[in-house]
Amino acid sequence: MEENNEKQLNFLEEIIEKGLADGTYKSILTRFPPEPNGYLHIGHAKSICLNFGLAKKYGGKTNLRFDDTNPVKEDTEYVDSIQNDIRWLGFEWAGVHYASDYFEQLYEWAVELIKKGLAYVDDQTLEEIRQNRGTVTSPGKNSPWRDRSVEENLDLFERMKNGEFADGSRVLRAKIDMAHPNMMFRDPIMYRILHAHHHRTGDKWCIYPMYDYAHGQSDSIEHITHSICTLEFDIHRPLYDWFIEQLGIYPSHQYEFARLNIDYTVMSKRKLLQLVKEGYVSGWDDPRMPTICGFRRRGYTPESIRNFCERIGVAKRDNIISYSLLEFSLREHLNKVAQRRMAVLDPVKVVIDNYPEDKEEMLTAINNPENEADGKREVPFCRELYIEREDFMENPPKKYFRMTPGNEVRLRYAYFVKCQSVEKDADGNVICIHCTYDPATRGGDAPDGRKVKGTIHWVSARHAVNAEVRLFDRLFAAEAPDDVPEGGSFLDNLNPDSLRTINNCKIEPCILDDIKQEHYENGVAAPVRFQFERMGYFCTDPDGNADHLVFNRSCTLKDSFKING
Ligand code: ATP
Ligand code: MG
């Protein structure tokens, strides 16, 4: 992978540096504004890394603001998970705020706009409002209620607030221009009536502000200097500016970047919620989910996700990033930090006939060749072992250098062994491989200098620990699961084989010590991660315990996906 040492500034960095240089602001304040209606996904991670990352780079700060203006779908469960995920990624917010904290202020400002003749109560139904909005090529029609007096508007708006009217019977609209070329300016709705319980304000309010009326003012209240959001909001920007200007409040500014899309997955919270609710996955943190908690459970590290976000950069145009790049970032980090262990996922028994029955010895293995400080460990060896079924072939093709009859191979860190015969069951399946070993090759090298072409991993049968291992494939079989023919659903693209569970895997015994310690990252419980030699990167799963070990495969050692088909 190409890495640029002399990094060019991205367009946001250019804007910030210019503003700092010309004194527009002394320091910067960004915000991350999730709606607490679901768990965060990898797209949010991009936004988090960007908002927190820019503030950090320029000595500024970042607020966490829950954009909780839509009471129906919001919940404190989501608020907690969002904070957890941001912390785990390694970021700290300056303040935590809620758009709902500003309901009173937003209401007062709405009254102010009414008094200025810039807002009115409209009795049209939502359907009528939609119909009268016009199209991109034709102007809209003024509402028959558009010219109400200020007094009448003030009275009606207050009564809306007091709960005198039914949901949907009235709205408050900004009075701008029903013929404006930007549809956003055709008297946008500021408030709707909704008798719903809010996760923080309870039943205090039965009118709720719309996104366009709440977001910019919330930014302004907090004195956000750079309100960074995704491209689809660019058409909202003039309206964002309009409200701030009419109210004469702190001039926050909005900037847009391209949202992150990843192949073979969906990223809308609504769809992720559907996967959870309808049981297609085990929960928001299912290791196949593109959620931050899903990646955490899968074994991703905060560093790997941050590096991924750094690597993809900040774009001004939408694009789709390959999932392989996420795995690349994970492998790159785990290669440096993961302890190596030996584990046999699909075991077949090996008996070393010339090794004494009652003998046991400890052999020395290196924990992490990438980091000497990780030291060494002892691995028990005895007469009966397990090796990977695929590491033995009776009739091998050319260039198969693993165990075959009469061919000498190295058992990693142990001895050279040679297969002498095999035992099979009635169906012809190999159930036991008989070998001899050369005692002079202890440690894995022959004193006479003879070489072997294959090295395979193994686990002592007498000492092995059993484990359940979960192997994952993509959750969706289609590159763009959302692209479905008329009448279809993204669910049609689910990969039926995305989870494979194997039982009775064999792991070297020190794993029991390895998993004893609880592991926290940035204060958040996280799995313990390993490289199982030759088999990939794995991590502990919360479904497991000391009596029943469960591991997830985070990724294979090499890219197993075909890039570009
Ligand atoms: P979704 O469409 O998945 O429900 P959302 O945009 O409604 O997401 P919010 O909670 O409003 O979710 O998002 C919080 C912040 O994260 C917003 O600033 C939004 O622009 C940003 N964000 C959401 N999805 C992505 C993405 N795929 N890439 C980059 N930023 C994103
Ligand atoms: Mg949103």
Side-chain angles (χ1 to χ4, degrees):
M1 186 114 328
E2 214 179 297
E3 213 88 341
N4 219 340
N5 284 336
E6 276 173 57
K7 277 249 177 92
Q8 279 204 335
L9 295 183
N10 66 46
F11 76 97
L12 290 168
E13 292 168 334
E14 277 174 9
I15 290 167
I16 292 169
E17 294 201 0
K18 183 170 173 296
L20 285 169
D22 68 18
T24 307
Y25 30 77
K26 283 204 185 65
S27 62
I28 67 162
L29 181 61
T30 60
R31 90 285 172 262
F32 174 65
E35 184 178 352
N37 62 350
Y39 282 64
L40 297 182
H41 53 58
I42 187 75
H44 294 117
K46 171 72 213 174
S47 175
I48 291 167
C49 289
L50 191 57
N51 280 295
F52 285 87
L54 286 170
K56 198 168 176 187
K57 174 167 180 184
Y58 293 104
K61 291 187 168 142
T62 305
N63 282 348
L64 169 60
R65 179 184 335 125
F66 290 102
D67 191 4
D68 56 351
T69 54
N70 183 8
V72 189
K73 295 183 188 158
E74 294 161 2
D75 199 278
T76 44
E77 175 197 346
Y78 301 134
V79 168
D80 295 340
S81 77
I82 288 169
Q83 301 199 12
N84 218 39
D85 287 347
I86 299 173
R87 281 207 188 94
W88 178 70
L89 281 175
F91 298 107
E92 248 336 301
W93 46 88
V96 54
H97 301 277
Y98 294 82
S100 56
D101 291 343
Y102 309 139
F103 282 171
E104 198 70 51
Q105 175 69 75
L106 292 170
Y107 178 80
E108 282 169 28
W109 279 336
V111 169
E112 193 181 320
L113 291 176
I114 293 173
K115 286 181 180 162
K116 284 186 175 168
L118 291 172
Y120 64 98
V121 173
D122 192 349
D123 298 2
Q124 293 182 107
T125 62
L126 284 181
E127 192 42 45
E128 287 167 327
I129 291 177
R130 199 170 307 135
Q131 272 168 15
N132 291 334
R133 231 176 135 220
T135 66
V136 195
T137 48
S138 63
K141 254 197 263 158
N142 283 355
S143 163
W145 313 102
R146 198 171 193 263
D147 294 316
R148 276 177 158 147
S149 69
V150 168
E151 289 67 37
E152 191 182 358
N153 279 319
L154 286 173
D155 173 62
L156 285 172
F157 187 49
E158 184 169 5
R159 287 164 62 196
M160 273 170 68
K161 182 187 83 157
N162 292 342
E164 288 186 31
F165 308 123
D167 290 2
S169 60
R170 288 188 163 86
V171 293
L172 184 75
R173 298 177 76 176
K175 192 170 174 178
I176 309 179
D177 180 1
M178 286 306 291
H180 202 286
N182 180 344
M183 302 280 288
M184 291 282 158
F185 277 84
R186 296 190 184 172
D187 293 7
I189 297 175
M190 295 164 59
Y191 274 92
R192 61 199 168 133
I193 302 172
L194 197 63
H195 289 82
H197 190 82
H198 186 279
H199 74 115
R200 292 191 87 234
T201 57
D203 297 316
K204 175 158 186 233
W205 295 90
C206 60
I207 53 170
Y208 288 94
M210 303 300 288
Y211 172 88
D212 284 313
Y213 180 66
H215 203 88
Q217 282 85 299
S218 301
D219 285 342
S220 177
I221 289 170
E222 295 174 23
H223 285 211
I224 300 298
T225 54
H226 297 77
S227 179
I228 300 164
C229 62
T230 38
L231 277 184
E232 65 272 23
F233 288 99
D234 66 344
I235 49 163
H236 296 250
R237 189 184 345 106
L239 189 54
Y240 177 108
D241 294 338
W242 188 87
F243 280 119
I244 285 181
E245 218 169 285
Q246 300 308 320
L247 292 166
I249 56 180
Y250 179 85
S252 295
H253 287 289
Q254 177 186 301
Y255 304 91
E256 307 89 20
F257 73 102
R259 65 191 295 120
L260 167 63
N261 299 300
I262 294 190
D263 60 5
Y264 296 97
T265 193
V266 296
M267 216 113 83
S268 116
K269 278 187 273 190
R270 185 178 56 77
K271 288 178 183 159
L272 296 177
L273 179 65
Q274 195 180 348
L275 291 172
V276 174
K277 282 232 167 111
E278 295 177 12
Y280 293 103
V281 294
S282 64
W284 284 98
D285 68 345
D286 187 298
R288 294 165 293 176
M289 288 280 272
T291 50
I292 296 180
C293 56
F295 280 113
R296 178 163 64 240
R297 187 165 174 187
R298 178 78 170 250
Y300 275 71
T301 60
E303 290 85 343
S304 63
I305 294 179
R306 292 202 307 263
N307 288 343
F308 167 77
C309 293
E310 178 69 25
R311 193 163 263 140
I312 57 180
V314 192
K316 262 267 183 202
R317 209 168 323 140
D318 276 321
N319 57 358
I320 296 174
I321 305 287
S322 166
Y323 187 91
S324 304
L325 194 59
L326 259 165
E327 294 208 320
F328 175 90
S329 297
L330 179 63
R331 275 188 207 105
E332 179 186 55
H333 186 228
L334 290 182
N335 182 45
K336 285 186 214 143
V337 300
Q339 301 267 308
R340 274 58 168 173
R341 296 291 180 262
M342 289 201 284
V344 175
L345 303 191
D346 182 14
V348 63
K349 181 73 85 56
V350 167
V351 178
I352 302 171
D353 290 319
N354 61 339
Y355 193 92
E357 177 107 45
D358 51 359
K359 185 174 168 181
E360 282 182 21
E361 62 185 311
M362 299 303 278
L363 298 167
T364 304
I366 294 167
N367 282 330
N368 181 358
E370 300 292 320
N371 182 12
E372 216 175 310
D374 282 337
K376 296 180 176 167
R377 70 184 186 284
E378 304 274 274
V379 186
F381 186 88
C382 68
R383 189 172 194 256
E384 297 198 357
L385 314 169
Y386 291 109
I387 65 165
E388 213 66 63
R389 189 167 282 280
E390 65 178 22
D391 282 340
F392 174 79
M393 278 187 100
E394 209 174 0
N395 301 301
K398 272 195 181 137
K399 298 211 171 154
Y400 183 88
F401 298 124
R402 295 174 258 173
M403 191 182 280
T404 59
N407 180 40
E408 201 169 41
V409 290
R410 176 188 293 111
L411 294 176
R412 180 96 161 128
Y413 298 122
Y415 295 100
F416 286 7
V417 293
K418 192 186 279 185
C419 166
Q420 305 292 352
S421 64
V422 292
E423 279 177 50
K424 294 182 188 170
D425 65 12
D427 299 326
N429 301 310
V430 174
I431 49 171
C432 183
I433 303 164
H434 288 271
C435 292
T436 50
Y437 85 118
D438 176 358
T441 57
R442 190 176 196 275
D445 285 304
D448 63 5
R450 78 180 188 278
K451 300 282 181 223
V452 289
K453 281 199 167 146
T455 298
I456 61 177
H457 63 279
W458 52 274
V459 171
S460 158
R462 198 176 295 165
H463 305 91
V465 179
N466 283 328
E468 172 186 330
V469 168
R470 297 172 184 174
L471 306 176
F472 307 105
D473 197 351
R474 295 163 166 145
L475 186 53
F476 291 93
E479 195 170 328
D482 286 323
D483 287 352
V484 283
E486 184 90 12
S489 155
F490 73 106
L491 297 170
D492 302 339
N493 286 321
L494 277 165
N495 172 7
D497 303 315
S498 59
L499 168 64
R500 188 155 70 90
T501 300
I502 47 178
N503 287 293
N504 211 27
C505 301
K506 308 288 181 184
I507 309 185
E508 61 172 284
C510 80
I511 202 80
L512 289 177
D513 285 330
D514 294 332
I515 62 163
K516 260 187 201 145
Q517 254 174 354
E518 286 181 55
H519 183 220
Y520 286 86
E521 261 159 4
N522 302 320
V524 177
V528 188
R529 309 180 185 92
F530 304 93
Q531 184 192 102
F532 290 164
E533 293 210 21
R534 301 176 63 229
M535 304 313 286
Y537 291 101
F538 292 77
C539 69
T540 51
D541 187 88
D543 284 348
N545 56 49
D547 298 322
H548 179 76
L549 304 189
V550 180
F551 290 90
N552 295 322
R553 180 152 72 189
S554 313
C555 64
T556 51
L557 290 184
K558 293 203 180 105
D559 195 341
S560 61
F561 298 139
K562 280 188 256 149
I563 303 178
N564 302 326

